[in-house]
Amino acid sequence: MTSLRDAKEIISNAITNNPKHIKKGLMPLCVMLWGAPGIGKTAIVDEVSEETDSDLNPVILAQWDAGELGGFPMLINKDEDKIMVKARPDYFPTNESKKTVLFLDELPQAPIANQNIAAQLTYERRLGNHFLHDNVTVICAGNDPKHRAGTNIMPTHLKNRIMHLDIQVDTNEALDHFSTKQLAPELIGFIRWRPEFLHKFDSDVKAFPSPRAWEMVNSILNWKMTKNAENAAIAGLVGQSAAQDFRGFLDVYRSLPDPDAPFNSPQYAPIPNDPSVLYAVMASLSHRVVERTAGNLMKYLDRIDSMEFVAACVKDFIKRKPELHKNKIVTDWMRNKGRLIFT
């Protein structure tokens, strides 16, 4: 199994090194991401493309018929005769001076005819007489048949032409991503408390929790709906079991006593005994801390015995507000007590 972080590193290196390999007559590498729906396969291809300053050409293979995907035949005049050639599809990269990711998404969901066309793109790097330029890297993604996402059997010759990475969900990676994207602190706090609800794939239900589903939950938390409507909406995204537990955590988070107490009176502000409440407090503090209150927050955190909760708070606020990493009090704490957490 491969983490999203490792997959990003592999894809980034493929984008950087494939042009060099091609110039040396070596085989460029095509990466294939396998995994359950909603775990972030498409998102990391977007992120790596941006980080490597590459154009992204996404192609949802299952949405094309074979004629469109491979290029419609057309007649042209040549030496006083007419010959048939394949037209260049509009997704085919043409800017030779720009690094480009040709992203063949939902590859296993495509019909076999489309997969055979993809096989030519991944290995021969061409469609008929149209050749990919050296700066193009082909990346693929899709769901395994066990995920019951309408997949077809992949031809063996295609399997042998690509690098297969089975993506697994890593809680810390997902939480870092959520914090960087400024998702609601109560959502992050809940996943830290109940990480088993980050991703529970179940092909037999309509809704199940996944990183993608939780990002959609984040969107509705500020809709100011009635409690019943909010519960129904959350359950419609992550399923009844996850929604019920999240509801309980939300109630705790939204009823926290004086959220500013640890900032105003770090030596005396109460420290909850209930783990769920303490996770909620850590989530709230990581969201609310600013440069002016960082010193008092570190004093409050020093009173907490369990480093698990302290680490959760510090990791979250540094991801949310990277500028706090330069705060002298935070830096000193990281250099001394924090080194036990972040090494």
Side-chain angles (χ1 to χ4, degrees):
M1 300 296 286
T2 307
S3 69
L4 287 170
R5 181 178 291 112
D6 289 342
K8 285 184 65 175
E9 183 177 351
I10 292 169
I11 294 172
S12 179
N13 273 278
I15 294 171
T16 301
N17 291 294
N18 274 347
K20 303 174 187 177
H21 291 175
I22 294 171
K23 285 179 172 59
K24 293 179 180 179
L26 301 175
M27 184 75 64
L29 295 177
C30 172
V31 179
M32 169 76 194
L33 306 177
W34 294 89
I39 63 173
K41 301 184 296 299
T42 300
I44 66 167
V45 177
D46 291 342
E47 291 173 12
V48 176
S49 297
E50 182 175 350
E51 291 167 5
T52 57
D53 191 27
S54 302
D55 286 341
L56 178 62
N57 284 28
V59 183
I60 309 297
L61 290 181
Q63 296 179 358
W64 295 63
D65 65 35
E68 293 176 304
L69 190 67
F72 283 125
M74 54 187 274
L75 292 175
I76 64 171
N77 294 320
K78 185 176 182 182
D79 299 330
E80 299 183 354
D81 199 1
K82 289 187 180 293
I83 63 172
M84 186 179 74
V85 298
K86 291 289 186 74
R88 176 178 56 80
D90 63 357
Y91 68 80
F92 205 82
T94 58
N95 186 354
E96 297 186 12
S97 65
K98 180 72 171 178
K99 287 187 294 186
T100 303
V101 173
L102 180 58
F103 182 34
L104 307 182
D105 203 1
E106 299 185 9
L107 176 56
Q109 280 76 18
I112 298 300
N114 291 21
Q115 294 193 45
N116 286 331
I117 294 170
Q120 187 179 46
L121 282 169
T122 59
Y123 185 72
E124 299 173 36
R125 295 177 57 80
R126 69 184 180 93
L127 286 177
N129 293 324
H130 304 288
F131 288 82
L132 295 173
H133 60 77
D134 293 354
N135 282 327
V136 174
T137 296
V138 181
I139 305 295
C140 307
N143 308 117
D144 194 270
K146 68 183 179 183
H147 299 130
R148 291 169 61 181
T151 56
N152 295 300
I153 296 174
M154 181 177 287
T156 54
H157 71 292
L158 174 54
K159 287 182 180 180
N160 193 238
R161 296 179 177 197
I162 54 184
M163 177 195 298
H164 301 270
L165 301 180
D166 290 309
I167 304 301
Q168 65 178 353
V169 177
D170 180 273
T171 303
N172 288 327
E173 285 184 5
L175 289 170
D176 284 349
H177 174 72
F178 287 172
S179 294
T180 301
K181 293 192 71 173
Q182 304 293 317
L183 265 60
E186 56 267 41
L187 190 152
I188 294 174
F190 172 70
I191 297 300
R192 285 203 182 278
W193 179 50
R194 300 296 301 275
E196 68 273 20
F197 280 124
L198 173 62
H199 185 252
K200 273 192 171 185
F201 174 74
D202 187 347
S203 61
D204 293 323
V205 298
K206 294 176 182 176
F208 57 86
S210 71
R212 179 169 61 199
W214 285 115
E215 287 200 42
M216 290 189 284
V217 168
N218 180 78
S219 297
I220 68 173
L221 289 179
N222 293 318
W223 284 8
K224 308 301 181 184
M225 294 185 287
T226 63
K227 188 171 182 177
N228 285 344
E230 185 178 60
N231 289 348
I234 294 171
L237 290 168
V238 297
Q240 289 290 344
S241 179
Q244 184 174 351
D245 278 54
F246 184 48
R247 176 77 263 162
F249 189 85
L250 272 181
D251 290 343
V252 169
Y253 182 89
R254 291 172 177 175
S255 63
L256 289 176
D258 191 3
D260 288 327
F263 299 131
N264 297 329
S265 183
Q267 299 297 341
Y268 303 102
I271 297 174
N273 293 319
D274 187 321
S276 67
V277 178
L278 190 51
Y279 268 119
V281 170
M282 295 298 101
S284 174
L285 294 176
S286 68
H287 176 65
R288 297 169 62 85
V289 65
V290 294
E291 179 80 21
R292 177 179 56 81
T293 59
N296 278 353
L297 172 60
M298 303 317 295
K299 292 178 183 178
Y300 179 75
L301 294 180
D302 278 342
R303 295 174 49 216
I304 298 175
D305 294 331
S306 175
M307 294 302 288
E308 174 186 355
F309 296 95
V310 176
C313 184
V314 175
K315 287 179 179 178
D316 283 350
F317 79 64
I318 287 178
K319 280 291 181 180
R320 284 181 178 274
K321 302 170 183 177
E323 67 275 10
L324 291 181
H325 205 298
K326 300 177 182 179
N327 179 284
K328 186 179 184 307
I329 297 175
V330 175
T331 301
D332 290 344
W333 186 91
M334 293 279 288
R335 187 181 296 115
N336 297 303
K337 298 181 180 180
R339 61 188 174 83
L340 300 175
I341 300 175
F342 297 95
T343 55

